Amino acid sequence: MSTATESRPISTYLFRRPRVRLFSLLALPMTWIVGVYILSLFLLLITAFWYVDPFTSLVRPGFTLDNFQAVFTEPAYISTSLRTLWIALAVTILSVIFAVPLGLYMAKIAPAWLRNALAVAITLPLWAGYLVKIIAMRLVFTEEGFFNWLMAPFGIKGPGFSMPIVILTLTYLWFPYMALPVYTAIRQIPTNLFDASSDLGARGFMTIYRVVIPLITPAIIAGSVFTFSLSLGDYLAARFTGGATQMIGSMIAANINLNPPMAAAFSMVPITFVVIYLMVARRTGSLERM
Amino acid sequence: MKRKKLAVLSLLSASVLILGGCSSDGDSSGLSIEVPDIPMHEAMGEFEGELNIVNWSGFVEPAWTDEFTAQTGCKVNPRVAGTSDEMVTLMRTGNYDIVSASGDAALRLIVGGDVQPLNIDLIPNFGGEIAEGMKGNVYDTVNGKPYGVPIGRGANLLQYNSDVTGGAPESWDVVWETDSPYAGKVTAYDAPIYIADAAVYLMYHNPELNIKNPYSLDADQLAAAIDLLKQQNSIIGEYWSDPVAQITSFVGGNTVVGTSWEILRKFAAKENLKTTLPKEGSTGWYDSWLVSSTTKNVNCAYAWMDYTSRADVNGAIAMNFGMAPANIAFCATSEKAQAHCDEFAAEDEEFFKQVWPWTTPIETCLDGRTDVKCTSFQEWTNAWLTVKG
């Protein structure tokens, strides 16, 4: 026995000192969370109360609520916030609409080889650079681009760079984050539940609505946290595929050099949206089951 | 706060000084602007061994920095910035010695005390054959003191797709009026300084607004320009700040008319894309070297300004970036140089007389008015962000 303890001096030391044990466990994550994450958020919040010297355009510490007032009163800011919220919701809904049937097919119908092939196909775009994918969408939907060329024989013309294309691009970007948790959740549903549902007289859609959806709601919420919050913060998709469409991110990006306190105040908007979203998600009880 | 009071005071004193009135051509003579008192470099000393430059893409290339480093021992560390606003932010970090600032960044840096006045005696190559229109402009010469060494200039032209428009549009109205035949296929420059383009249009079409200088707008004139920009917003296809996006937008057919630079048209390399200077005139960018007030490498900075003012080096920068060189002695050096100067109107002062050089708007009215306070760049910035909704 004594040989074993002697050969593990660190374990022995830690065993006797629970506080040190706790500290060594938490030191690294706490440094990260407090030192990098919380601190930078805090600095951001502080800056939102500062102002820019109108004479020299230099940022000056101080206290003003003008920036927040502008966020809530300036029509351009309000419409941009609402537009971004709507885009993020549309991306999330679109992702769910695509992910559920796909997940069902992959998990319950497709043969093993096809299931694997589809899983690879879903994750493959994650390997490509984010900017590359946005530029690809720009090229596809440009006036003389692939989409218009393909659709020309049918007399269909793309909408040009606009909000629908931004929604499509963001859905393309974030779809894997919805598809994978949904697929995994559907796979975990025992097949005999489908049989039972069918025995009780439910048809396909009724089974999806009454059995599948309730069981995979936690997965959908988990996926939607990604699709929703990532869409809220994005601005490159709007810049390259949105035409004149402005999102919260575009406003922050435009302000970051011109008026950093205003950018800081505006960045509170998506944070607020996400917090509200998470609170609503928690209400539904889905977060506990995640 | 103290500085603000100072600014108001200076405005008052300025108004006394310029009661005699001042020409509206952007000439700084007679216009007094409050700037922090920063000493200039008195005499050349030993080279420090390095030089940190904030520059536009294409201004600092091994093709001419190698010779400079061999001559002076100053190692050149360039940092490319994408916009004037980014340049100002970078210079304010204090990590850079010199910047190739356009006029809209220059005056901001001068007034903010971020750059120092220059001792022209230490730059022998400066002055010789600087293009007339680049001498002593308010963006780099304040209260008679020079702050910048000119590098080159270019106009913001109207680019059009001649397959769609037929001939050259005579007026900027195709990008401003909602009944434009190209509504939805219009592009505009994505920066607050673009407000001046609206002001140039209003100067011509709404004389009752009494705009004399597009960078010197009182609150009412700014509001009129913003209204015009909001009107334009409804016919905009895309705003551009990234040159590559602008080129692909024109080439891909999403944009038919809009603001452009001669060099972007050249890069697009399509026969049907052409540029013109409409009857209202336009704005333009005039770039100069400005030296940081906190630089540790002031001798290298002076050596760099002198070196790049040499006709051949200045010409090499101008050709590489695609602009009119400041030192027009370059034009006569070769046939190729002459062709470049002709293409970019380097010696054509009549052309550049129709171009208003980008200048940071400040509270002091640059057109000499003293009975009103003009809108500052910060007000332009805040107003600009309301345009795009």
Side-chain angles (χ1 to χ4, degrees), chain A residues 52-58 60 74 76-77 79-80 83 138 142-144 161 243-244 246 251 255 257-259, chain B residues 3 85-86 89 92 108 111-112 185 192 237-238 241 245 248-249 251-254 376 378 381-382 385-386 388-389:
Chain A
V52 172
D53 188 320
F55 196 51
T56 59
S57 308
L58 288 168
R60 302 241 178 255
E74 177 57 49
Y77 291 159
S79 65
T80 303
R83 183 184 307 116
R138 179 177 170 88
T142 200
E143 195 70 18
E144 291 165 17
F161 299 138
Q246 298 292 308
M251 288 290 193
N255 265 314
N257 282 318
L258 300 169
N259 190 344
Chain B
R3 190 182 284 271
D85 306 315
E86 197 183 336
T89 309
R92 286 184 174 159
R108 249 185 288 170
V111 171
K185 297 193 177 258
E238 279 193 285
S241 55
T248 55
S249 190
V251 171
N254 289 73
S376 70
Q378 205 53 47
T381 299
N382 297 344
L385 290 161
T386 67
K388 297 188 288 177

Side-chain angles (χ1 to χ4, degrees), chain A residues 215-236:
Chain A
L215 284 171
I216 64 167
T217 303
I220 290 178
I221 300 275
S224 73
V225 170
F226 286 108
T227 56
F228 182 76
S229 54
L230 289 173
S231 303
L232 269 187
D234 196 82
Y235 76 102
L236 284 172

Side-chain angles (χ1 to χ4, degrees), chain A residues 79-91:
Chain A
S79 65
T80 303
S81 297
L82 293 178
R83 183 184 307 116
T84 309
L85 183 63
W86 156 237
I87 288 175
L89 287 173
V91 169

Side-chain angles (χ1 to χ4, degrees), chain B residues 301-385:
Chain B
Y302 267 81
W304 173 258
M305 288 189 289
D306 190 44
Y307 174 73
T308 52
S309 295
R310 225 170 69 188
D312 57 332
V313 182
N314 186 240
I317 296 174
M319 283 188 79
N320 190 56
F321 185 77
M323 63 180 169
N327 190 342
I328 47 177
F330 165 72
C331 302
T333 55
S334 73
E335 258 178 51
K336 208 175 146 204
Q338 190 62 54
H340 176 80
C341 284
D342 292 346
E343 189 177 3
F344 290 89
E347 300 163 296
D348 189 350
E349 288 302 327
E350 283 307 308
F351 173 85
F352 276 108
K353 270 199 180 128
Q354 304 168 64
V355 177
W356 291 89
W358 274 356
T359 306
T360 319
I362 55 176
E363 283 177 349
T364 311
C365 288
L366 299 170
D367 62 4
R369 277 182 297 171
T370 55
D371 50 342
V372 287
K373 207 160 111 174
C374 277
T375 49
S376 70
F377 186 70
Q378 205 53 47
E379 287 166 81
W380 282 39
T381 299
N382 297 344
W384 171 249
L385 290 161

